[in-house]
Amino acid sequence: MSHSRALLRILPRSTTARRTFSTTSPAFVNVGDRIPDIDLVEGSPGNKVNLAKELKGKGLVIGVPAAFSPACSASHIPGYLNNPSLKSAGQVFVVSVNDAFVMKAWGATFDPTNKTGIRFLGDPDAKFTQALDLSFESSSIFGNDRSKRYALLVEDGKVKEAHVEPDNTGVDVLGNVDAKIVFNSLRGG
């Protein structure tokens, strides 16, 4: 047996694999999972929002890698805002690994009078995102771990459907996290 193989048998394998920016890792949020009981922030760091407690009935949680990022700002979030089925989704939240001030400013660029009712929440320490197992290591691009793009259809605090972008670096938001696809599945189509 070679020396390197002998070392592999002796050394324990790491139980926590570090994701890289360009590696796709399976999402472990599953249908039937409860929304994590973790505080997010809205508008200011002191304004805590807990989606596990907030989501009663139907809801939609949209995750994005970064506020003000080109793909999220140009097509991903506008696809939800401009979709005629938005009202049928129940409570709608956009979550990003950003601070409350950034999310407030980003939300105001889309909906300055809050006509849509969509709420923009910050996950500054990525704890919510990590609890869903939807984070990826992106320090070379964003400076810290970020969230995959996702859309979770939620009913009474449990995930009814999970739509997750398979590629962390992709800007093809017309994939399975596109508003048309998500709302079509909401209608059962």
Side-chain angles (χ1 to χ4, degrees), residues 58-137:
K58 289 172 33 173
L60 174 63
V61 181
I62 305 162
V64 297
F68 294 103
S69 64
C72 295
S73 295
S75 56
H76 187 205
I77 298 306
Y80 286 92
L81 289 166
N82 300 322
N83 194 294
S85 298
L86 178 65
K87 297 283 185 219
S88 67
Q91 294 175 285
V92 181
F93 301 90
V94 176
V95 177
S96 181
V97 180
N98 284 109
D99 63 66
F101 302 119
V102 168
M103 292 304 288
K104 180 180 180 180
W106 194 43
T109 65
F110 292 116
D111 190 11
T113 60
N114 199 23
K115 186 173 118 180
T116 65
I118 292 181
R119 295 169 63 187
F120 288 76
L121 308 178
D123 183 16
D125 53 12
K127 286 183 182 175
F128 181 82
T129 301
Q130 290 166 353
L132 292 169
D133 198 25
L134 293 174
S135 66
F136 67 96
E137 197 287 314

Side-chain angles (χ1 to χ4, degrees), residues 1-22:
M1 182 179 316
S2 75
H3 180 66
S4 61
R5 281 193 168 184
L7 283 176
L8 287 176
R9 291 185 145 205
I10 297 169
L11 296 174
R13 292 184 184 199
S14 172
T15 57
T16 57
R18 188 88 170 135
R19 294 185 194 153
T20 61
F21 189 74
S22 62

